[in-house]
Amino acid sequence: MHFLKSAPQILTKNGFPNMASLKVWILASRLRTLPLSISGAMMGSSYAYYLGFFDTVIFTLILLTTLSFQILSNFANDYGDGVKGTDNQSRIGPLRALQSGAVSPKQMRLAIIVNTIISAALSLLLIWIAFGVDQLLNSLIFIVLGGLSICAAISYTIGKSAYGYRAMGDLMVFLFFGLLSVMGTFFLFAKQIDSRLLFPASAVGFLSAAVLNLNNMRDLDSDKKAQKKTLAVYMGRKKSKIYHFLLVLLAISMMVVFQCVMSFSKLMLFSWIAFAPLLFQLKVVYNIKNPKRFDPHLKLVALSTFAMSLLFASVLVIEELQQLLL
């Protein structure tokens, strides 16, 4: 814990750490990660709306539950990397709450516990509203999935078997941000599985993994020193760039295939605007030599993913409204 002692402190007028600062907790929540976290939910919800299964209350609870999972994951990541010393002075990315000394390990543990309770409560309320008592099997399945989501959010960096330290972060992000987020959201509305959603679900999953890979390329040197075994550490920066190319191009291909399979109107081409920044950043990322320059691209890819989902959702809503007005 020596790195905490030497880290800069956010102090009050009395010279004590300002542990209760709302601004500190907002920063620890990592607001820039939140749009990416709801991209899959927007994709699944808009598709449900297009097919006539939408429910406003369920949609609201899905968003709240998803955001609570992401904030829980961010707090847990801050704590796990903080106590293990992975977030130290050699790290390139933004200063974390534990790393800065603004929040103590005890306070972060309490925040994780409180957020776990909030996430569990929101999950149970969502499941109750979506399935009630008549669909017990579906309720039990989603209770398990909710529990797994909470465990995944916490165990990314916390514990001796943290999967983020065993090169499994990309896979878990693909599964939870992509497949479960999109297809699980749709199921909460429609109570059925639509296999065609594998395409957009995979697209969101690939782009979410691309964001994580950019993060890991940025932190490659410090992660290697801290024995954090990410895919980027195993592959090296050059191969990680190739991997990044594949993730982005696969994501775009999945969306194009899905839209062709569904035979949407030409209006859907409007959603392809979001592909432009994704394709543009590939060349820039390929030429990056200074790890610090990876950081802006995390935000770019995350917001492009959100924009893709938002544009896709907007087109589906417009198309459905047009059908209703005819």
Side-chain angles (χ1 to χ4, degrees), residues 37-48:
S37 70
I38 63 172
S39 296
M42 288 177 57
M43 194 82 74
S45 298
S46 60
Y47 188 64

Side-chain angles (χ1 to χ4, degrees), residues 4-288:
L4 288 175
K5 296 178 181 178
S6 59
Q9 298 278 334
I10 298 176
L11 304 177
T12 64
K13 293 181 180 179
N14 296 323
F16 293 101
N18 186 9
M19 300 300 190
S21 169
L22 177 61
K23 183 178 179 180
V24 169
W25 289 110
I26 292 175
L27 291 173
S29 299
R30 306 183 195 179
L31 298 185
R32 72 176 185 173
T33 67
L34 301 186
L36 177 64
S37 70
I38 63 172
S39 296
M42 288 177 57
M43 194 82 74
S45 298
S46 60
Y47 188 64
Y49 181 87
Y50 178 74
L51 296 181
F53 296 113
F54 189 77
D55 182 282
T56 303
V57 175
I58 292 176
F59 176 66
T60 302
L61 286 172
I62 287 172
L63 290 185
L64 291 175
T65 304
T66 302
L67 291 172
S68 71
F69 284 155
Q70 183 60 50
I71 293 172
L72 173 61
S73 177
N74 292 340
F75 285 170
N77 181 251
D78 198 311
Y79 177 81
D81 281 343
V83 298
K84 290 177 180 177
T86 307
D87 287 344
N88 52 50
Q89 292 176 337
S90 66
R91 183 177 173 275
I92 295 173
L95 201 64
R96 300 306 184 198
L98 246 69
Q99 179 188 6
S100 69
V103 173
S104 70
K106 182 178 180 180
Q107 288 175 317
M108 189 58 81
R109 285 197 301 270
L110 178 60
I112 291 170
I113 292 171
V114 171
N115 234 307
T116 299
I117 294 172
I118 292 172
S119 296
L122 285 171
S123 298
L124 291 173
L125 180 59
L126 171 59
I127 292 167
W128 174 261
I129 296 296
F131 302 121
V133 295
D134 299 326
Q135 301 181 53
L136 182 59
L137 180 59
N138 286 339
S139 295
L140 291 175
I141 290 173
F142 271 79
I143 287 173
V144 172
L145 290 175
L148 289 174
S149 298
I150 291 173
C151 288
I154 294 173
S155 59
Y156 175 60
T157 59
I158 292 179
K160 294 181 179 179
S161 59
Y163 62 86
Y165 283 71
R166 301 167 65 187
M168 293 183 62
D170 299 61
L171 174 61
M172 299 297 280
V173 162
F174 177 81
L175 292 175
F176 283 92
F177 278 68
L179 301 189
L180 180 59
S181 181
V182 176
M183 301 189 75
T185 291
F186 178 76
F187 193 92
L188 286 165
F189 289 109
K191 282 67 176 179
Q192 64 188 43
I193 295 173
D194 190 324
S195 59
R196 294 171 294 187
L197 275 178
L198 279 171
F199 293 108
S202 296
V204 175
F206 285 137
L207 289 175
S208 299
V211 173
L212 179 60
N213 183 56
L214 285 167
N215 179 86
N216 292 339
M217 282 196 285
R218 181 198 66 194
D219 297 341
L220 191 151
D221 295 328
S222 59
D223 284 346
K224 188 182 294 185
K225 291 178 183 178
Q227 299 297 308
K228 186 176 182 179
K229 307 289 188 177
T230 64
L231 274 183
V233 169
Y234 278 114
M235 292 188 294
R237 197 162 279 127
K238 184 176 181 179
K239 290 182 179 179
S240 295
K241 289 180 180 180
I242 297 173
Y243 171 58
H244 179 73
F245 270 58
L246 290 173
L247 289 172
V248 172
L249 295 177
L250 279 171
I252 293 174
S253 299
M254 291 292 103
M255 288 303 297
V256 172
V257 169
F258 175 64
Q259 291 169 17
C260 291
V261 168
M262 291 299 298
S263 299
F264 294 120
S265 71
K266 292 182 179 179
L267 184 63
M268 186 55 76
L269 295 176
F270 180 68
S271 68
W272 291 17
I273 293 173
F275 298 159
L278 290 170
L279 292 170
F280 172 77
Q281 59 88 36
L282 290 179
K283 181 179 179 180
V284 181
V285 167
Y286 182 78
N287 293 318
I288 287 178

Side-chain angles (χ1 to χ4, degrees), residues 46-47 49-50 264 268 312-320:
S46 60
Y47 188 64
Y49 181 87
Y50 178 74
F264 294 120
M268 186 55 76
F312 175 83
S314 299
V315 172
L316 287 188
V317 171
I318 292 171
E319 288 201 352
E320 179 62 18

